[in-house]
Amino acid sequence: AQSVTQLGSHVSVSEGALVLLRCNYSSSVPPYLFWYVQYPNQGLQLLLKYTSAATLVKGINGFEAEFKKSETSFHLTKPSAHMSDAAEYFCAVSDQDTNAGKSTFGDGTTLTVKP
Amino acid sequence: DVKVTQSSRYLVKRTGEKVFLECVQDMDHENMFWYRQDPGLGLRLIYFSYDVKMKEKGDIPEGYSVSREKKERFSLILESASTNQTSMYLCASRGGTGPTSPLHFGNGTRLTVT
């Protein structure tokens, strides 16, 4: 079974600082990986995805993630945090064994941005 | 833009009641999902459906059932609500090429069972 682990349930950075949110995956096959963001009182929305093309993936709002097979990681980064980035972030892996492609999520990381 | 609409943002129900959570998507997606979200536990899959009248159990199906009579609508049913089902429920849909396509989420229904 595929799984993801997000290291750190809470991350706090200052405005303008680097954002690094960690995600490690476990999969017996090349994975399909996603990062989603959830703002307060909303559903999740896609930030970016990796589907075996380029290992460095760029997403919305200046976020990017790098797929590293040797480290089984897919960490999310942003060079300079904005106050509007405060939200909860979820890493997810998609199951290739079913047509529906059901997704398994990490426990989430809450990002706080200090002024 | 894909729109996934959950009929209620907040629901308060009593223990033992039968509860229906409704979800509608407008993009003709084959796949629909129900997750529950609890603090520190991320999202856990309850049930999913890959076609009309087709359904499969997810990771935590106990105490729940689902119905998909039309492609655009996927209902989650709590047969006899219990306090441990107090949670945020998120509906999602996925189309395209299955596992490589992202999920599209509704805004969630926060259910409180008293």
Side-chain angles (χ1 to χ4, degrees), chain A residues 11-62:
Chain A
V11 171
S12 181
V13 300
S14 297
E15 193 173 18
L18 171 72
V19 175
L20 171 61
L21 304 182
R22 300 177 187 272
C23 174
N24 288 89
Y25 69 89
S26 172
S27 176
S28 58
V29 297
Y32 299 138
L33 294 162
F34 302 80
W35 274 101
Y36 292 88
V37 60
Q38 185 181 33
Y39 299 104
N41 298 316
Q42 295 186 24
L44 281 69
Q45 56 184 275
L46 179 71
L47 269 179
L48 49 80
K49 66 177 183 179
Y50 168 77
T51 57
S52 76
T55 56
L56 181 63
V57 181
K58 295 189 183 298
I60 62 171
N61 301 338

Side-chain angles (χ1 to χ4, degrees), chain A residues 3-6 23 89-93 104-109, chain B residues 41-43:
Chain A
S3 65
V4 291
T5 302
Q6 291 183 239
C23 174
Y89 292 80
F90 293 92
C91 183
V93 62
T104 301
F105 286 80
D107 292 345
T109 298
Chain B
L41 298 179
L43 278 70

Side-chain angles (χ1 to χ4, degrees), chain A residues 48-93:
Chain A
L48 49 80
K49 66 177 183 179
Y50 168 77
T51 57
S52 76
T55 56
L56 181 63
V57 181
K58 295 189 183 298
I60 62 171
N61 301 338
F63 284 93
E64 62 182 37
E66 186 172 9
F67 174 73
K68 291 187 177 180
K69 185 178 178 180
S70 60
E71 299 177 9
T72 62
S73 69
F74 190 55
H75 301 331
L76 182 71
T77 60
K78 182 174 180 177
S80 176
H82 295 166
M83 297 296 291
S84 59
D85 295 327
E88 190 162 18
Y89 292 80
F90 293 92
C91 183
V93 62

